Amino acid sequence: MAFPVPVWLAVQDELLGPGEEDSGALSCFDSFDEEALFQTFHLTKPCIAFVADAVRIRMRTVAPKKPLVSVDAMVMVALDYYAHGVSTAAVLQKVGLTQSDGPASVVGAISGVIAGMSDQFISFPLTRDARVNLAAKTEKLCGIPRVLGVLAPAHFKIRASPYEKDTFRSFVNTQGYTSVVSQVICDSDGNILSVEKCCVGSTCEQEMWDSSFKGREMEEELHGAFWLIGGTGYHLTKHVLTPVSEPANDNEVRFNEAHAKIYSVMRSTLGSMKRRFKCLMQLGFAQEGSLNQKSNIIKACSVLHNIAKKFSVRPPPPAGKIEPLHAGKQPSVPTEINAEALKARQQVIDDYFSVVSSSQDTKSSNTTEEDA
């Protein structure tokens, strides 16, 4: 859900830390008008001011040593890189840096700081009321009950040298190109709820889920009896709801259509992120030792995505087709279907996607309207 800017500014002290004073104007951004800011950084002035304040406050604790350039200048260099995938000469000149000064180190430092803010700006629903409200919004969108969000592998392209064959192969994903992959969960509004892992592109998403913090929490019932929507690369479990592989009747077809509707939210969310942050279209070279750096950039862009949504900042318009979500890497050995999960999914189909349940819902709706 997006909130008006004044609402976010009013709670800024709570989000960024108690007792912090407003830092005032962002001098290095002053020469940009609103349109120029959006064209250059794909964000608005209030949003950028909020981000810069958050980074400044965080850096007082994680980086007490005074940087060579101002925090605002460092933020500007990082936002420029996120927006374009390169550090542009115009922005570097504005902050008094050149390519020989190593802007990548500035981007890396700021990415680490913003990624470290993910506990404040990327939040999975922790209370029962929050989960119930989130599930109600999802059910209103697709008709499937008790769904908190969508689970998917997010692939980000990288360059890999064909001469380094061992390294090259490990980064090739199911679509045939080299990438790194992170596990992402979003809600029905496209807010990022969780970002975990940063693995080579060939990593199986089920393997990522099984070893992830959120996967263990869900399967250990720490978040209650709720589902996450998963694609065909995941196993059907008590908490990951996959489509019916071979629908045998109209009920199962309707369920699959509803599943596809909510699952498509992840596709549009990742598409929106890659339009706003073009660095995600090409994350540098394939080096296993650099996965932490790439993970910080992915997390930083996820934090900024959520903040931009709260400030109602539109993403840049689409350019070409939105990249499809990956079909998923199928296990080499067939897995045994979880009988309890299969029964639970069938119950959802029978209760919410049968002709009888649909007619009852319609009748109930009509009765409610008449009573009103």
Side-chain angles (χ1 to χ4, degrees):
M1 178 184 296
F3 298 104
V5 171
V7 174
W8 267 71
L9 296 179
V11 298
Q12 182 163 323
D13 287 344
E14 181 179 348
L15 287 169
L16 303 185
E20 298 291 351
E21 295 180 0
D22 186 9
S23 61
L26 301 178
S27 58
C28 65
F29 290 98
D30 284 349
S31 60
F32 293 89
D33 61 27
E34 194 67 49
E35 184 59 28
L37 278 174
F38 185 79
Q39 291 299 326
T40 306
F41 307 109
H42 301 163
L43 297 169
T44 59
K45 189 167 187 176
C47 184
I48 291 172
F50 186 88
V51 170
D53 281 345
V55 170
R56 186 181 301 104
I57 291 167
R58 181 96 178 177
M59 286 187 72
R60 290 174 188 168
T61 2
V62 301
K65 185 178 179 181
K66 188 174 181 180
L68 295 177
V69 295
S70 71
V71 172
D72 290 351
M74 294 177 72
V75 170
M76 178 178 282
V77 171
L79 293 183
D80 179 49
Y81 170 77
Y82 300 149
H84 304 286
V86 295
S87 294
T88 64
V91 167
L92 290 178
Q93 183 179 12
K94 185 174 286 292
V95 299
L97 295 176
T98 65
Q99 292 291 349
S100 61
D101 292 320
S105 62
V106 174
V107 173
I110 295 299
S111 296
V113 171
I114 298 177
M117 289 155 41
S118 59
D119 57 341
Q120 292 173 289
F121 298 102
I122 299 177
S123 58
F124 203 76
L126 297 179
T127 67
R128 175 166 177 78
D129 284 349
R131 291 190 285 269
V132 167
N133 290 337
L134 198 58
K137 292 180 66 175
T138 307
E139 184 175 355
K140 186 175 181 180
L141 173 67
C142 68
I144 304 176
R146 303 192 309 280
V147 170
L148 297 180
V150 183
L151 167 69
H155 283 264
F156 305 97
K157 291 181 181 179
I158 55 172
R159 298 185 184 95
S161 169
Y163 300 105
E164 300 177 10
K165 292 184 178 179
D166 292 338
T167 300
F168 178 87
R169 289 194 190 98
S170 67
F171 284 90
V172 177
N173 60 34
T174 56
Q175 300 293 93
Y177 64 83
T178 50
S179 70
V180 293
V181 57
S182 291
Q183 175 182 284
V184 177
I185 301 172
C186 75
D187 67 15
S188 58
D189 286 330
N191 298 295
I192 304 297
L193 302 179
S194 173
V195 181
E196 279 193 64
K197 305 283 190 175
C198 184
C199 307
V200 296
S202 62
T203 306
C204 174
E205 49 262 51
Q206 183 63 44
E207 177 187 326
M208 293 175 65
W209 173 248
D210 290 339
S211 61
S212 69
F213 291 112
K214 202 57 64 187
R216 290 196 293 269
E217 287 176 1
M218 289 291 289
E219 298 303 337
E220 290 172 7
E221 302 279 354
L222 296 184
H223 296 284
F226 292 91
W227 301 96
L228 292 175
I229 294 293
T232 56
Y234 293 96
H235 302 160
L236 174 65
T237 68
K238 290 187 299 180
H239 297 286
V240 178
L241 187 60
T242 59
V244 178
S245 57
E246 296 180 2
N249 52 56
D250 290 344
N251 298 350
E252 293 179 351
V253 169
R254 281 191 288 269
F255 168 79
N256 276 6
E257 289 172 347
H259 187 285
K261 184 175 184 179
I262 179 61
Y263 193 63
S264 69
V265 172
M266 179 64 81
R267 182 187 180 194
S268 60
T269 298
L270 293 177
S272 173
M273 283 182 62
K274 290 179 180 181
R275 294 200 309 275
R276 191 187 302 280
F277 308 116
K278 287 188 168 58
C279 66
L280 298 178
M281 301 290 288
Q282 180 57 260
L283 272 177
F285 284 91
Q287 297 172 315
E288 294 199 38
S290 69
L291 288 178
N292 285 340
Q293 295 174 354
K294 299 185 193 316
S295 176
N296 279 344
I297 292 174
I298 293 166
K299 280 188 176 181
C301 289
S302 300
V303 167
L304 294 173
H305 166 83
N306 278 2
I307 293 175
K309 284 185 67 65
K310 296 304 183 186
F311 277 86
S312 304
V313 185
R314 72 188 190 280
K321 294 182 179 179
I322 299 176
E323 181 184 346
L325 292 177
H326 288 228
K329 185 176 181 180
Q330 299 301 318
S332 54
V333 179
T335 56
E336 184 177 347
I337 298 177
N338 185 313
E340 185 180 351
L342 190 63
K343 181 179 178 181
R345 183 178 68 182
Q346 191 58 51
Q347 192 69 52
V348 168
I349 293 172
D350 292 342
D351 290 348
Y352 292 86
F353 296 95
S354 68
V355 175
V356 174
S357 66
S358 298
S359 62
Q360 287 177 341
D361 289 344
T362 303
K363 187 180 297 183
S364 174
S365 175
N366 290 338
T367 302
T368 303
E369 290 174 1
E370 290 172 2
D371 291 343

